[in-house]
Amino acid sequence: MKYLVLICFTGLLIFASCKNQKTTEAIPLQKVSAIAQTTSVPDSDDAADDPAIWINYDAPEESLIIGSNKQRGLHVYDLSGNEVFSNEAGKINNIDVRYGFKMADGSRIDIVAGSNRSFNSISVFKIGTDGRLQDIASGILKSELNGVYGFCLYKDLKEDKIYAFVNGKSGRVEQWHLFASSENKVDGSIVRTFKINSQPEGCVCDDEMGVLYLGEENKGIWKFEASPLGGSSGKLIADFSNKNLKPDIEGLALYYAEAGNGYLIASSQGNNTFAVFERKGANNYIGSFEVVNGNGIDGISNTDGIDVTNVGLGTQFPDGLFIAQDGFHVENGRKMNQNFKLISWKSIASHFNPPLHIDNLYQTEQVE
Ligand code: CA
Ligand code: CA
Ligand code: CA
Ligand code: CA
């Protein structure tokens, strides 16, 4: 009896410690393939960096992909991957998109903004349905960082305000409020700064939950309040005790679904995979996937930026789209310049067990 109690007690202890065990063992990867890819960027070496999806809500099949080329500017592609526009706006590293920025004349525009390393500034463009990007910044929105690096946008849906987060390799983060200037342009001012211990880059905001996720490349993923009143302390929601994560943490993206469902996705650059976390609660880790050769398109590796949308984009991507930079683009055994790969969200979702949500109608953005 004494031994039985001891065995049960030991069992309970093991069970309890397993439950509290922080280390997540490596679990099998889900393998998916791209169904389209963009034209290669015109520069060799590490050039393509961060993609962003702009949804054309009036004609979803005419939605666009904007890709940063950190050697020279931005490229805009259609959903088949054909380039429809490019500029030479400078060494833009990371980019993001928000809808319905209110201009001084009361009109609403959709903006593409990014960290511009040529001018140590934030670049802001108005995007048109034809993919043309028009610089709409009121002068040079110069950062006080010692070199801008990662970048993402946040829309406070209640206050109808758009903010930018820009970070530097030292770990400093600036939060900017972007506002309409009288000459019908976009101006900005720094409203908060804080710091993490080592180099960040990728970031993404959850507009509904008012949260900023920030990758510390050699540490993990931090969660901060996105409000400028949110203080300077964050919570580490993932680190390398999760054996499916390998430094660097690079791009982060957010998949929205109704009722707070959805996912945070991270590029785990060191093992060429993408990690999926719950969007709600404690951001529990769900699993990881990799994008392998298939459909005549090479697999994805060494990824920097990513983006995802739940919204159905016409016949090509009726169940949403995931897009990722490919660090090593190969065609017919030949090394090509880098590009971006397009993956159906359905193919990712259906490879998980249980399958991930597919919520192709939910719209979080206030479309004006
Ligand atoms: Ca790279
Ligand atoms: Ca990086
Ligand atoms: Ca990068
Ligand atoms: Ca590749």
Side-chain angles (χ1 to χ4, degrees):
M1 183 62 192
K2 202 165 129 190
Y3 288 108
L4 188 63
V5 169
L6 191 66
I7 287 164
C8 289
F9 183 67
T10 312
L12 267 176
L13 270 183
I14 290 167
F15 177 70
S17 69
C18 283
K19 264 198 96 175
N20 293 326
Q21 179 58 268
K22 272 206 157 158
T23 301
T24 306
E25 295 304 323
I27 59 171
L29 290 167
Q30 311 305 319
K31 293 181 197 297
V32 302
S33 294
I35 57 172
Q37 62 182 333
T38 68
T39 310
S40 293
V41 296
D43 301 274
S44 55
D45 303 326
D46 206 15
D49 197 88
D50 192 24
I53 301 163
W54 174 75
I55 301 164
N56 182 332
Y57 283 97
D58 296 324
E61 68 281 2
E62 291 172 29
S63 296
L64 298 166
I65 292 147
I66 306 97
S68 72
N69 173 347
K70 58 191 173 192
Q71 308 288 353
R72 70 167 78 198
L74 299 179
H75 301 276
V76 183
Y77 309 95
D78 64 21
L79 292 181
S80 301
N82 305 306
E83 185 171 296
V84 296
F85 177 86
S86 68
N87 68 21
E88 301 208 345
K91 295 181 174 177
I92 298 180
N93 188 47
N94 285 179
I95 51 167
D96 206 354
V97 165
R98 281 298 183 279
Y99 301 81
F101 181 93
K102 194 172 183 181
M103 301 294 277
D105 66 3
S107 64
R108 298 270 180 173
I109 63 166
D110 297 343
I111 59 169
V112 175
S115 45
N116 192 327
R117 301 178 75 186
S118 295
F119 304 101
N120 199 36
S121 67
I122 293 174
S123 289
V124 187
F125 304 91
K126 172 185 178 178
I127 184 165
T129 52
D130 58 358
R132 207 169 61 90
L133 298 175
Q134 179 193 341
D135 190 335
I136 195 118
S138 157
I140 295 178
L141 306 182
K142 211 164 177 60
S143 165
E144 289 170 9
L145 295 169
N146 185 18
V148 294
Y149 193 46
F151 181 90
C152 57
L153 291 171
Y154 166 56
K155 185 170 186 181
D156 182 326
L157 299 173
K158 285 192 205 89
E159 301 276 334
D160 191 15
K161 285 180 176 171
I162 293 182
Y163 297 92
F165 287 94
V166 61
N167 62 60
K169 291 187 177 180
S170 68
R172 285 204 78 77
V173 181
E174 287 176 350
Q175 179 173 10
W176 288 64
H177 176 215
L178 300 180
F179 53 86
S181 72
S182 51
E183 69 276 30
N184 229 28
K185 299 229 165 157
V186 177
D187 205 346
S189 62
I190 298 169
V191 292
R192 174 170 62 148
T193 61
F194 54 93
K195 195 177 184 317
I196 57 173
N197 288 333
S198 68
Q199 184 170 315
E201 185 179 354
C203 61
V204 70
C205 289
D206 185 327
D207 291 353
E208 288 183 1
M209 296 200 187
V211 163
L212 162 73
Y213 294 100
L214 175 66
E216 184 173 354
E217 293 186 344
N218 278 298
K219 173 82 176 174
I221 303 170
W222 292 92
K223 185 178 193 172
F224 290 88
E225 280 186 45
S227 158
L229 306 173
S232 58
S233 57
K235 183 174 190 289
L236 193 67
I237 57 130
D239 65 15
F240 300 110
S241 64
N242 178 330
K243 297 302 172 201
N244 280 4
L245 295 179
K246 282 266 166 14
D248 296 350
I249 297 292
E250 283 279 335
L252 299 175
L254 202 81
Y255 181 98
Y256 287 96
E258 63 175 353
N261 289 308
Y263 310 101
L264 169 69
I265 306 174
S267 166
S268 171
Q269 195 180 56
N271 58 357
N272 308 313
T273 63
F274 304 97
V276 182
F277 302 86
E278 291 277 3
R279 185 181 150 220
K280 59 186 177 187
N283 303 105
N284 288 332
Y285 173 71
I286 297 168
S288 295
F289 64 94
E290 64 180 327
V291 183
V292 299
N293 295 345
N295 310 315
I297 299 172
D298 61 312
I300 300 181
S301 57
N302 208 37
T303 293
D304 288 314
I306 58 175
D307 200 6
V308 69
T309 182
N310 65 298
V311 176
L313 304 181
T315 51
Q316 280 175 286
F317 297 95
D319 296 301
L321 167 67
F322 174 78
I323 178 160
Q325 182 256 8
D326 182 13
F328 293 99
H329 175 204
V330 178
E331 278 181 27
N332 302 318
R334 250 183 62 223
K335 183 175 177 288
M336 311 285 288
N337 288 348
Q338 295 175 332
N339 70 352
F340 301 95
K341 305 289 206 262
L342 290 77
I343 299 102
S344 145
W345 176 255
K346 188 178 188 174
S347 70
I348 296 168
S350 61
H351 275 78
F352 281 76
N353 184 19
L356 304 179
H357 290 278
I358 297 176
D359 197 341
N360 62 1
L361 292 176
Y362 185 67
Q363 291 182 15
T364 188
E365 300 281 0
Q366 296 171 333
V367 184
E368 299 290 329

